[in-house]
């Protein structure tokens, strides 16, 4: 496992003690993935706050392993990916809600928008993709609403009046104002 300092710093900043424990558990979580899904995990991609790496299954199928800190955001992500199956997204092969693990289809060639190198082209690609991401919301949808997200952000702003890490108090306030405006 590559020790990416910015990744570990981000996890510690965002999740505090829970993040530190998770970083320490990460090697055993990766071993668990390799055993449970009979795969070989390769070097991770450039990491931000989740551990994401390509892997090869026993049958030579290429997948992507994403290991996250379990919680509300992770649970919502699994639900959202499940809801968007057959919507031009990579397939969700399996997951473990308790351990924060998602096994996804690897898209090849698989480039990020940032690799395009032209902001106008990147924006057009993203707009086309978003235009096709429409589904009918199930009647009993367990995803958190933007109103709940606004309430969570309000609490975060209240608990961190001076900002948090690289996020200034002004950035927090602006984000909160946008959420409030969008939820009117």
């Amino acid at each position: 496992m590559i020790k990416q300092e910015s990744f570990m710093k981000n996890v510690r900043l965002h999740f505090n003690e829970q993040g530190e424990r998770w970083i320490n558990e990460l090697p055993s979580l990766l071993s668990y993935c390799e055993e449970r899904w009979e795969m070989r995990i390769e070097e991770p991609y450039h990491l931000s706050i989740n551990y994401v790496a390509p892997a090869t299954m026993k049958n030579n199928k290429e997948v992507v392993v994403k290991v996250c800190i379990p919680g509300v955001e992770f649970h919502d992500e699994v639900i959202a990916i499940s809801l968007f199956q057959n919507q031009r997204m990579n397939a969700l092969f399996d997951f473990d809600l308790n351990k924060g693990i998602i096994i996804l289809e690897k898209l090849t060639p698989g480039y990020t928008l940032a690799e395009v190198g032209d902001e106008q082209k990147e924006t057009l690609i993203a707009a086309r993709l978003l235009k096709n991401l429409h589904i009918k919301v199930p009647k009993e949808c367990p995803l958190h609403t933007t109103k709940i997200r606004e309430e969570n952000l309000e609490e975060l702003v209240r608990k961190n009046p001076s900002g948090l890490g690289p996020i200034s108090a002004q950035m927090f306030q602006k984000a909160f104002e946008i959420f409030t405006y969008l939820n009117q």
Side-chain angles (χ1 to χ4, degrees):
M1 177 177 77
I2 292 179
K3 296 278 187 179
Q4 297 181 20
E5 290 303 318
S6 62
F7 160 67
M8 293 188 298
K9 181 180 174 184
N10 289 340
V11 171
R12 288 179 181 116
L13 177 67
H14 190 75
F15 294 103
N16 303 312
E17 296 85 27
Q18 181 186 18
E20 188 65 41
R21 283 191 307 275
W22 182 79
I23 288 170
N24 292 330
E25 292 172 13
L26 192 54
S28 64
L29 287 169
L30 297 174
S31 293
Y32 168 81
C33 291
E34 289 185 321
E35 262 184 55
R36 177 175 172 183
W37 286 285
E38 297 181 301
M39 65 172 58
R40 183 180 42 82
I41 298 175
E42 299 165 21
E43 294 296 319
Y45 298 112
H46 178 73
L47 304 172
S48 59
I49 201 162
N50 299 303
Y51 189 91
V52 184
T56 305
M57 308 285 282
K58 185 178 179 180
N59 63 3
N60 290 325
K61 177 83 175 154
E62 291 184 322
V63 296
V64 173
V65 177
K66 182 174 183 181
V67 185
C68 312
I69 292 181
V72 172
E73 290 87 3
F74 174 73
H75 188 259
D76 280 359
E77 181 176 356
V78 171
I79 292 168
I81 292 170
S82 298
L83 289 172
F84 280 106
Q85 290 298 291
N86 303 317
Q87 297 294 317
R88 296 184 181 182
M89 290 189 64
N90 49 337
L92 174 64
F93 288 132
D94 205 356
F95 58 90
D96 185 320
L97 281 178
N98 294 325
K99 294 188 183 296
I101 300 166
I102 302 174
I103 309 297
L104 296 162
E105 168 188 25
K106 181 179 179 186
L107 299 179
T108 304
Y111 300 104
T112 66
L113 280 178
E115 292 174 293
V116 173
D118 179 326
E119 195 171 294
Q120 193 168 19
K121 286 181 183 176
E122 293 164 359
T123 303
L124 288 172
I125 292 168
R128 274 190 300 242
L129 177 66
L130 290 172
K131 184 178 177 183
N132 291 316
L133 288 179
H134 292 282
I135 61 166
K136 185 174 178 159
V137 178
K139 196 170 196 165
E140 296 294 322
C141 185
L143 289 173
H144 289 83
T145 64
T146 57
K147 188 64 179 165
I148 291 171
R149 298 281 184 188
E150 177 188 342
E151 291 165 3
N152 292 344
L153 182 58
E154 181 178 28
E155 182 180 343
L156 198 58
V157 169
R158 190 174 30 79
K159 285 183 177 178
N160 300 282
S162 301
L164 180 63
I167 304 170
S168 68
Q170 294 81 10
M171 290 171 75
F172 261 149
Q173 190 58 43
K174 184 66 175 173
F176 179 66
E177 288 170 8
I178 291 169
F179 261 97
T180 303
Y181 174 77
L182 292 172
N183 285 319
Q184 291 179 356

